[in-house]
Amino acid sequence: FHTLFMKWILAIHGQTRTATASCDPDEVVTGGGIRAVDGINTVNPTHQGIHGSPNTFELTYTNIGGGEATIQVFAECAKLVP
């Protein structure tokens, strides 16, 4: 079990962005989320979940604050052992 963090992404005021974090091909996503550095802004996740494949976590968010917000999406990854 480990956490995979993706690169930081900038969202300007009013902007909606979608970002993904993918685990290794032999792993599955068990969860995920968002980490934000946004000062006085508010980042509003509008969709989050496993998307496209069992090893990708997707998050759509909107910066509803008055300035820029920097976010980072992460996935919780686990390797299946037979």
Side-chain angles (χ1 to χ4, degrees), residues 1-5 21-32 50 53-57 74-82:
F1 176 80
H2 67 95
T3 302
L4 176 71
F5 288 95
S22 296
C23 301
D24 292 335
D26 62 342
E27 297 176 325
V28 294
V29 173
T30 60
I50 298 168
S53 72
N55 72 336
T56 300
F57 184 83
F74 65 90
E76 300 286 341
C77 307
K79 183 177 264 191
L80 297 177
V81 178

Side-chain angles (χ1 to χ4, degrees), residues 13-77:
H13 166 68
Q15 186 176 37
T16 297
R17 305 274 308 259
T18 297
T20 60
S22 296
C23 301
D24 292 335
D26 62 342
E27 297 176 325
V28 294
V29 173
T30 60
I34 186 172
R35 191 162 65 164
V37 178
D38 60 6
I40 61 170
N41 295 312
T42 301
V43 176
N44 181 22
T46 55
H47 163 78
Q48 58 183 346
I50 298 168
H51 179 75
S53 72
N55 72 336
T56 300
F57 184 83
E58 179 180 88
L59 188 131
T60 300
Y61 58 94
T62 302
N63 176 2
I64 59 174
E68 296 178 342
T70 305
I71 68 98
Q72 186 178 46
V73 173
F74 65 90
E76 300 286 341
C77 307

